[in-house]
Amino acid sequence: MADITWEEPFCAEGNNCFRIGTDPQGNAYIAVAGQENHPLTDSREALRALIRDIKAGAADHLL
């Protein structure tokens, strides 16, 4: 597996904790805390776009 640098877990209400990580090759990772060996992966730009869209309300219908 890639040499991933993980951020501290982000935990919303309850026990829903996620971690975001990056590697030296420019990939970004999202994983459930404690299950970092099964991440979703894409480019850092894709992760930036996802975060910007979520902040802009694009996922509000899921709440």
Side-chain angles (χ1 to χ4, degrees):
M1 178 159 274
D3 185 24
I4 302 170
T5 302
W6 291 102
E7 298 289 328
E8 289 297 315
F10 170 79
C11 299
E13 295 179 20
N15 293 323
N16 301 319
C17 299
F18 295 90
R19 295 187 81 182
I20 294 175
T22 56
D23 69 18
Q25 290 74 39
N27 299 307
Y29 301 83
I30 300 175
V32 173
Q35 297 184 20
E36 289 84 356
N37 56 332
H38 299 290
L40 297 174
T41 184
D42 208 325
S43 67
R44 288 183 188 189
E45 184 51 42
L47 179 60
R48 282 185 197 102
L50 174 65
I51 292 169
R52 277 193 299 263
D53 287 349
I54 290 171
K55 285 182 169 184
D60 287 357
H61 66 282
L62 299 173
L63 301 175

